[in-house]
Amino acid sequence: MMKPIIQRPVPQYQALPGMMSPIPIREFRGLNTFDPFSIRDNHFTHMSNMVLDDYPAVSVRPGYSVLESAIGTRVLGLGVWKGTELHAIFNDGTWRKWTGSAWTTLKSGLDTAAEWTFTNFEGNWSGINLIGCNGVNGLHRYDGNTVQTFGNAPSNINYVTTYQNRLWGAFGLEIRACKLDDGNEWELFDLTEEASYGKTLESDKGESINMLSGGLSKLIIGMPNALHELYGGVPSDFWTRLVTTDTGFANNKSAFIQDSLLRFIHKNGIYEYVSGGVAPDRDFSEIIRELYSETNALAATDGRRFYFRMDSNILIYDQHSQSWSSWNGISATCFALMDGQAYMGDASGRVLLLDGSTDDGSAIPWEIITKPFTNASAGQRSRWLKLWAMIQLVPDSTATISLSQTKDGSDWETVKTITGTGLNIEKVIIPIKKFTLASMLRIKISGTGWVKIHEITRQGRAMSQ
């Protein structure tokens, strides 16, 4: 006879009040300098050398290689001839071109401090020339063989650009243009439609022109706190319009054009300008407004990323994810794009090719810091139960995880260090014993070498007041 099956009821435990399901963050949205208690969980309060290229994950920025060795102590300008040949001006007074393996000197004896701007122009020459000027040494052109001075433009002409089949430059408050299709002739004012052109603008602040750009359907003329536009196709209908006296340009290298938009750095922020009567607007950059600086301003693009160098940081805007990040360790002075690759000149006389996973053989240091995680009310007590991250860390790369229970991160404590093992995504448990009852919790993950962070997850319990 079979014994009866003894069945016992499965105990039903009441869920603990305040228990939360795990809260994963898998879509990172970059930097945010607003109040850290109010921003979204997937924003960081600090980023160093991390990018959103692999959005929604966050990973280490590209590294760089150095084209040969440093020349002088600063790169004063980068230009590209016909999209295929890289040229650089160094502060040893030389104009050089990159042959693919070395720098070849084309001209020496140039000013050792003035910054250069470049444009390409053909006109009535036999081919396309790379045109450059610095406001001191007059106009220079490279025709594929040699660098030579040319034309009768004023020797202090600067900020060269092209618009309506003419070269344009500026000095003081005067804008000048060469004769139609003739880069050599700047002084022919015979009232014909092919003649040279000049005009003196006004400034109620006593400012001088510090930026020219012919990349839109009109010529953009900038001052430190003003923006003008010049319309028309020939001298008889050239006319200028003042757009604003509240917003201007840090310098000629602080602006670039992409997708019919002018983006530029001003002391009050990073602006976008569409033209056509609409004032410049900075809405897209308000999220990182605490990092604004007009010092060492440089703006450029490689087609996907927007680079804004201010002070010692390079702020990166990623168009795909519409997110901001910050790079450190590159003291850029100028930028060029050639054959789909980005180059930067720096403040130590090097030209860098942005490529690879190291900085000229050295592992890249990086860091991210989260907002302070709290309950729905920052004043409500918490009990932290679990914390983990999903990370890829290659061999020879390291990561250190630290925790803080203050808003400003004045009490960081290292809780775990890991070393890379390969490209597999690893679940990294973050010890939180000491921080179990913290009212707020911030996470810092820092390290060196290549890393990709896919997820940060926390689980806790909201305690009674």
Side-chain angles (χ1 to χ4, degrees):
M1 183 175 180
M2 296 181 62
K3 293 182 179 180
I5 299 174
I6 300 174
Q7 293 182 331
R8 294 185 176 89
V10 177
Q12 300 293 322
Y13 297 105
Q14 184 177 359
L16 291 173
M19 182 64 72
M20 296 181 291
S21 299
I23 303 174
I25 305 171
R26 296 198 190 105
E27 182 191 14
F28 298 106
R29 296 305 302 266
L31 271 173
N32 190 325
T33 64
F34 293 157
D35 175 63
F37 286 116
S38 304
I39 65 178
R40 294 180 178 178
D41 288 359
N42 57 359
H43 281 128
F44 297 109
T45 61
H46 173 75
M47 291 179 73
S48 174
N49 290 335
M50 299 289 274
V51 293
L52 280 298
D53 288 2
D54 297 312
Y55 176 82
V58 61
S59 57
V60 174
R61 68 161 169 82
Y64 60 77
S65 56
V66 178
L67 274 57
E68 210 181 34
S69 56
I71 299 173
T73 57
R74 185 179 180 87
V75 182
L76 300 175
L78 287 178
V80 177
W81 178 62
K82 296 173 64 173
T84 61
E85 197 171 272
L86 184 67
H87 290 239
I89 310 290
F90 299 92
N91 73 343
D92 66 343
T94 61
W95 175 321
R96 306 181 188 226
K97 73 174 182 179
W98 179 246
T99 65
S101 58
W103 290 104
T104 297
T105 301
L106 299 173
K107 185 163 185 175
S108 57
L110 301 171
D111 188 87
T112 59
E115 305 276 332
W116 285 71
T117 57
F118 295 92
T119 191
N120 279 267
F121 184 73
E122 181 172 5
N124 58 6
W125 292 315
S126 59
I128 294 174
N129 282 236
L130 177 64
I131 313 297
C133 68
N134 63 357
V136 178
N137 295 124
L139 290 170
H140 286 69
R141 67 184 178 96
Y142 169 76
D143 59 7
N145 295 299
T146 61
V147 172
Q148 56 191 287
T149 57
F150 71 97
N152 57 357
S155 61
N156 61 340
I157 199 165
N158 208 355
Y159 317 126
V160 66
T161 189
T162 56
Y163 172 70
Q164 293 293 346
N165 296 329
R166 301 171 191 264
L167 289 172
W168 294 74
F171 52 94
L173 281 168
E174 186 170 352
I175 55 172
R176 296 289 294 273
C178 71
K179 179 183 175 182
L180 182 69
D181 287 324
D182 187 353
N184 289 310
E185 183 54 70
W186 294 74
E187 298 291 342
L188 181 64
F189 302 104
D190 61 1
L191 303 181
T192 65
E193 301 296 26
E194 292 78 25
S196 310
Y197 178 79
K199 180 176 182 177
T200 300
L201 302 182
E202 296 182 358
S203 170
D204 58 5
K205 296 182 175 67
E207 297 177 338
S208 297
I209 296 169
N210 71 344
M211 198 286 296
L212 283 182
S213 176
L216 294 173
S217 58
K218 55 196 68 66
L219 182 71
I220 305 297
I221 307 162
M223 298 178 187
N225 291 286
L227 189 156
H228 300 254
E229 293 178 331
L230 181 141
Y231 293 81
V234 292
S236 63
D237 66 357
F238 284 147
W239 63 280
T240 58
R241 180 177 76 95
L242 176 63
V243 176
T244 178
T245 57
D246 297 322
T247 307
F249 300 81
N251 56 59
N252 192 67
K253 293 182 180 180
S254 67
F256 67 88
I257 289 173
Q258 166 132 9
D259 300 329
S260 299
L261 286 175
L262 175 70
R263 295 177 175 88
F264 60 94
I265 301 172
H266 178 50
K267 62 184 177 183
N268 294 330
I270 302 173
Y271 287 82
E272 289 182 329
Y273 178 60
V274 183
S275 80
V278 180
D281 133 62
R282 64 184 184 189
D283 287 350
F284 85 113
S285 66
E286 281 293 273
I287 199 170
I288 46 91
R289 65 186 177 190
E290 297 302 319
L291 301 176
Y292 290 164
S293 170
E294 203 177 11
T295 307
N296 299 318
L298 169 68
T301 181
D302 61 8
R304 172 175 175 171
R305 304 186 197 97
F306 300 159
Y307 301 83
F308 300 96
R309 190 211 168 168
M310 292 182 289
D311 201 8
S312 59
N313 297 322
I314 299 178
L315 299 177
I316 306 296
Y317 183 73
D318 183 275
Q319 291 191 88
H320 174 61
S321 62
Q322 297 183 341
S323 300
W324 289 89
S325 55
S326 176
W327 293 11
N328 306 95
I330 302 177
S331 299
T333 60
C334 46
F335 183 94
L337 184 65
M338 184 178 74
D339 197 24
Q341 293 184 301
Y343 297 83
M344 286 186 180
D346 77 0
S348 59
R350 303 179 303 170
V351 177
L352 315 176
L353 167 61
L354 297 183
D355 190 27
S357 58
T358 67
D359 284 351
D360 197 33
S362 298
I364 301 171
W366 52 268
E367 184 175 88
I368 54 171
I369 299 177
T370 69
K371 61 170 284 184
F373 296 122
T374 66
N375 288 311
S377 168
Q380 188 174 10
R381 293 187 302 123
S382 300
R383 183 179 182 88
W384 300 102
L385 303 176
K386 296 178 182 178
L387 193 63
W388 69 87
M390 304 299 292
I391 299 177
Q392 283 177 277
L393 196 65
V394 301
D396 298 325
S397 295
T398 61
T400 298
I401 302 174
S402 303
L403 300 179
S404 167
Q405 49 188 325
T406 61
K407 176 185 175 181
D408 60 3
S410 59
D411 60 341
W412 289 113
E413 183 169 326
T414 299
V415 296
K416 189 157 191 168
T417 299
I418 59 176
T419 301
T421 58
L423 288 176
N424 292 331
I425 302 175
E426 304 286 346
K427 180 178 181 179
V428 179
I429 303 297
I430 303 173
I432 57 172
K433 183 176 180 181
K434 183 177 178 179
F435 298 85
T436 300
L437 297 178
S439 60
M440 66 185 73
L441 194 64
R442 300 183 75 196
I443 305 167
K444 176 169 69 174
I445 309 178
S446 59
T448 57
W450 188 88
V451 69
K452 185 186 293 185
I453 301 173
H454 295 266
E455 176 185 317
I456 297 174
T457 300
R458 67 189 190 276
Q459 184 178 19
R461 178 186 171 199
M463 306 294 285
S464 59
Q465 295 292 341

